[in-house]
Amino acid sequence: MAGGGQFVTRTIAVVAVSLGLLAGAEAASASTIVYQCGGYDVCAIDPDTDAGPRQLTTDGRVAGVTRDGKTAAWVASNPIRIVKAPLAGGAETALFTGEVYDYPQISPNGSKALWTWFFAGYGWYTYVYTGPPAPPPAPQYPPAVASSTYQTTAGWMGEEPIVTLRGNDSGTLKAQICKAVDGGPMCDTLLASDPDSQLSFPDASPDGSTVVAIHGPAPSSFGTPVAGTIALYSTQTHTRIRDLMPGASEDTHPVFSADGKRIAFERDGGIWVVDAAGGAPRRVATGNTPFWGGPKTVPGDPGDPTDPGDPTDPATPALKLKVLGKPRIKTLLGPGLRVRLSGAPAGRATARLTVSSKVARRIGLGKRRILATATSKSGGAVRVLRLRAKGPVARKLRRSKPFVATVQGTVKPDGGAALKAKKNLRLRR
C-alpha cells in the first residue's frame, strides 16, 4: 500500500462463533432497537411508540438483537462472555466464554457472533469458528480468511460475515465490501465498492440487495473511518446508490430495520431513525451502537393481530395505557404524572409507578420500589389518573438523576377479571 506515513501493521480478527439458539418466550415481538445507553448499560426501545427505554443490563457491551426482535445480546464481564436473553423476559444464557474485543454482534438468527480483534504486528485477519470455541485462555485459531492489511470492519449478510476492505492511497484499488468465506481469497465475493472513500460498518438489507455503510476519509494509511456519511450500495451493480443524508459527515453504525425499510444510526450521542428511501431523521434515544430487530409496531392499530387485546374482538377487551405529556421527575413531584387508561369496562382503576430494586437503591429508597399510586373507584371506558410522589420518596427524587421506571394500570370491572397494562419509561429531570 502506498503512503507517505510510517508503516504500521495491526490485526483485526473477525470471529464468528456458532451458538445454540436460546429458547425464548414465544410472545409476539415488537420493533426494538437495542443499544448502549451508558458506560456498561444496555437498553432497548421501541421507536414506533411513545414508551421510553428499558434497561436490559448494567454490566454489558451491546452485541445486537435477532431479526425477529425476540432476543438481545451483550458481552458481560467476570468472566468475559457473550450472553443472550429474551426481550420478553427470562434468564440470560452464556453462549461463549473468552475474550471478546471490538464491535461484537450476533447474526440475524442469533446462531453466530462476530467481533473485531486488534492485534498489533501481524496485519488484518478474519477468523471464522464453525464449531465450539477452544477453552480459554488459549484459543486455537482456525484458518484465516481475508487475511490482509486492507481489511477493516465487519457485519452480516444473512448468516454470512461481510467485511470492508480499504482502497489504497494511489487509487488503483477501490474500497470494497465483500463476503468473507473460510479458505477463500481476500475478497471472496464482491458486494460493493467506492471509488473515492474508505468504508466502515457494513450491514446488509434482509433481502441482500443493498448494503448500508459509512464512507469518508480514514484517519491514517491503515485506519478506517469511525464516522462519515451514510450511503446505500447495490449488491447487483456493486456501486453507491446514493448518500442517505447528503452533507451529514459525522454519522456512524448504520443498521437496517427488520423489514429493510428504515435505518437506525448513531449521531452526536444519540440514536436516530431515517427511512431508507430518504427524508428527515428523528432522534429516538440517547446512546450509541444501535441494532434493530422485530416487525414495525403500529400503535392503536385495531387490526393488529399481534395485539392480545384486539379491540375488534368484543370478547377480548384490552386495557390501553398512555402517559400524557413528557415523563419528568419534576412533574412527578408537582402536578403529577397523568396516566390515561382506556378500552376497558367501567370499574375500579389503579395506577402505580415502580422501579427495579437496583434503581431504588441508587435513588436512596432502600427496599421501597413503589414511587407513587393513584386510584379511581369508578369511571367510564376512559379515565385519567395522576401519579404524585409524596413524603420520603419525593425528598429522594428531588436529588435524583434520570432513571427508568414502570407504570402499570389495572382496571377491575364489576364481576369480571382484572385487566392490566404497563409501560417502561425514562423519567428525566
Side-chain angles (χ1 to χ4, degrees):
M1 176 179 293
Q6 181 180 2
F7 183 86
V8 179
T9 58
R10 47 188 177 171
T11 296
I12 285 187
V14 180
V15 185
V17 185
S18 294
L19 305 172
L21 287 172
L22 182 66
E26 292 302 320
S29 56
S31 179
T32 303
I33 295 176
V34 176
Y35 62 100
Q36 202 79 41
C37 55
Y40 288 95
D41 297 341
V42 177
C43 291
I45 191 169
D46 186 336
D48 300 321
T49 71
D50 58 0
R54 56 193 176 103
Q55 192 176 66
L56 304 180
T57 182
T58 59
D59 175 33
R61 290 185 290 128
V62 66
V65 62
T66 51
R67 182 162 289 160
D68 61 13
K70 293 183 178 181
T71 305
W74 57 86
V75 179
S77 61
N78 297 323
I80 298 174
R81 65 201 185 280
I82 295 177
V83 300
K84 294 201 298 184
L87 283 164
E92 63 186 55
T93 302
L95 300 169
F96 173 80
T97 300
E99 290 293 343
V100 180
Y101 294 94
D102 298 325
Y103 309 126
Q105 56 180 298
I106 57 172
S107 62
N109 74 6
S111 66
K112 301 174 183 177
L114 63 78
W115 59 89
T116 58
W117 196 345
F118 178 80
F119 197 17
Y122 291 91
W124 303 91
Y125 289 84
T126 301
Y127 290 101
V128 178
Y129 282 100
T130 57
Q140 298 172 1
Y141 299 132
V145 298
S147 173
S148 169
T149 54
Y150 289 94
Q151 181 203 323
T152 57
T153 55
W156 291 103
M157 172 174 277
E159 296 303 302
E160 297 181 83
I162 59 177
V163 296
T164 53
L165 302 172
R166 282 185 51 83
N168 60 19
D169 294 343
S170 66
T172 57
L173 180 65
K174 298 178 181 179
Q176 298 175 326
I177 302 172
C178 301
K179 286 185 180 180
V181 179
D182 190 8
M186 183 174 71
C187 181
D188 184 84
T189 303
L190 176 66
L191 301 175
S193 63
D194 198 299
D196 54 17
S197 298
Q198 303 297 349
L199 299 167
S200 284
F201 305 121
D203 186 61
S205 61
D207 64 4
S209 65
T210 310
V211 175
V212 65
I214 66 166
H215 71 89
S220 68
S221 294
F222 291 93
T224 184
V226 295
T229 301
I230 297 175
L232 299 174
Y233 294 84
S234 167
T235 59
Q236 284 76 44
T237 64
H238 313 310
T239 58
R240 189 196 304 172
I241 301 171
R242 66 179 180 278
D243 290 343
L244 201 55
M245 293 163 287
S249 60
E250 293 296 327
D251 299 332
T252 190
H253 293 290
V255 289
F256 276 104
S257 60
D259 60 7
K261 295 181 179 180
R262 294 180 291 172
I263 291 168
F265 63 96
E266 175 189 338
R267 172 190 288 178
D268 192 28
I271 307 300
W272 297 68
V273 170
V274 67
D275 288 344
R282 62 184 178 93
R283 183 173 175 139
V284 298
T286 298
N288 60 74
T289 320
F291 297 93
W292 201 344
K296 183 175 182 178
T297 308
V298 184
D301 180 0
D304 182 1
T306 67
D307 186 348
D310 190 344
T312 62
D313 182 357
T316 57
L319 180 63
K320 303 293 184 181
L321 183 153
K322 182 177 179 62
V323 176
L324 303 177
K326 295 182 179 180
R328 296 188 180 277
I329 297 173
K330 66 178 181 180
T331 305
L332 188 62
L333 294 171
L337 199 65
R338 294 182 301 152
V339 178
R340 185 177 70 189
L341 301 176
S342 61
R348 180 184 176 90
T350 61
R352 184 173 68 172
L353 187 69
T354 63
V355 292
S356 67
S357 57
K358 184 175 293 187
V359 171
R361 290 194 299 270
R362 192 178 74 198
I363 294 173
L365 299 176
K367 295 183 179 181
R368 184 196 297 263
R369 295 180 55 197
I370 299 175
L371 303 186
T373 60
T375 302
S376 173
K377 293 183 179 180
S378 62
V382 179
R383 68 214 76 182
V384 176
L385 291 81
R386 288 182 181 268
L387 291 167
R388 296 185 181 91
K390 302 176 182 178
V393 172
R395 287 194 291 273
K396 294 293 184 181
L397 290 179
R398 288 190 181 98
R399 301 188 299 271
S400 173
K401 296 179 179 179
F403 59 88
V404 175
T406 300
V407 58
Q408 178 173 310
T410 304
V411 173
K412 180 66 170 66
D414 297 334
L419 301 174
K420 297 182 179 181
K422 65 179 180 180
K423 262 183 185 177
N424 294 321
L425 63 158
R426 184 174 181 83
L427 278 86
R428 305 182 185 279
R429 290 300 307 172

